[in-house]
Amino acid sequence: MRGAAVVKDKAAILCLAKSFLYETTNNEYVHGQPPATLERYLVEFKAEDTILVDGPTTTICKGCSGNAHPFLEAEGTYTCEGCDECLCRFCYMSEDKIAVLDGDCLLCFECMRGALCGMTKQEDESDMRAFLKEKGHTVPATASYVEVLFLFEKQEAG
């Protein structure tokens, strides 16, 4: 199930728990004492003398509007079908109502915006439409750039 994090990695679960315990509130730690050690992923919560240690595997999410960010790989990684970028479980949309596509289409926010708002790249899109027409595919005039790209890549892959 997309979006629901089912974390089975014990180190990742402990790291997430520490993020609750060591996030400062009113410039103080909830339990009054700063952590002696913390995983590098939680660097924002360290005190001056906190020792950073390696922790669970992290990866970088494309994010939104150029705001890439690290996240725990154990929470699940996703790939945008429009731009092929890595996404976390919070930075994508799944659209199953795009007429030309069969089933779900997982897209980052920028690619989804392009699909929904009809933002297109005329030169590349017209070349892809011509290629698809030549191969016997009928692409509706209302199909977005992402929809045309999806069909084009599907046809190229065979």
Side-chain angles (χ1 to χ4, degrees):
M1 172 158 103
R2 291 185 186 161
V6 179
V7 181
K8 296 180 180 178
D9 181 330
K10 181 180 176 183
I13 293 170
L14 291 173
C15 184
L16 291 169
K18 287 180 185 178
S19 73
F20 290 111
L21 292 173
Y22 295 117
E23 181 174 12
T24 56
T25 305
N26 296 326
N27 295 323
E28 294 181 13
Y29 290 97
V30 174
H31 300 287
Q33 297 296 318
T37 61
L38 269 182
E39 291 82 354
R40 292 188 196 291
Y41 179 70
L42 302 174
V43 67
E44 296 172 25
F45 307 140
K46 78 179 199 77
E48 276 185 36
D49 48 347
T50 301
I51 298 169
L52 294 177
V53 296
D54 290 335
T57 305
T58 62
T59 192
I60 302 296
C61 172
K62 172 188 177 178
C64 184
S65 301
N67 293 308
H69 61 90
F71 70 101
L72 296 178
E73 201 170 271
E75 289 186 79
T77 61
Y78 303 92
T79 303
C80 174
E81 294 174 29
C83 64
D84 206 35
E85 294 282 342
C86 180
L87 303 169
C88 73
R89 65 190 175 109
F90 300 108
C91 293
Y92 74 84
M93 293 180 70
S94 182
E95 178 59 62
D96 59 0
K97 294 177 176 64
I98 299 176
V100 178
L101 302 179
D102 295 325
D104 261 357
C105 182
L106 187 142
L107 299 170
C108 67
F109 296 130
E110 283 82 11
C111 290
M112 182 60 75
R113 182 176 55 224
L116 296 176
C117 298
M119 300 162 87
T120 60
K121 297 179 181 175
Q122 298 300 325
E123 317 83 22
D124 298 334
E125 184 177 348
S126 56
D127 291 344
M128 289 187 287
R129 284 178 181 273
F131 173 81
L132 289 166
K133 185 176 181 179
E134 184 180 313
K135 296 292 182 181
H137 293 281
T138 304
V139 181
T142 58
S144 71
Y145 175 76
V146 173
E147 293 170 324
V148 175
L149 178 64
F150 180 83
L151 290 172
F152 178 80
E153 288 177 345
K154 193 173 179 180
Q155 177 62 41
E156 278 193 324

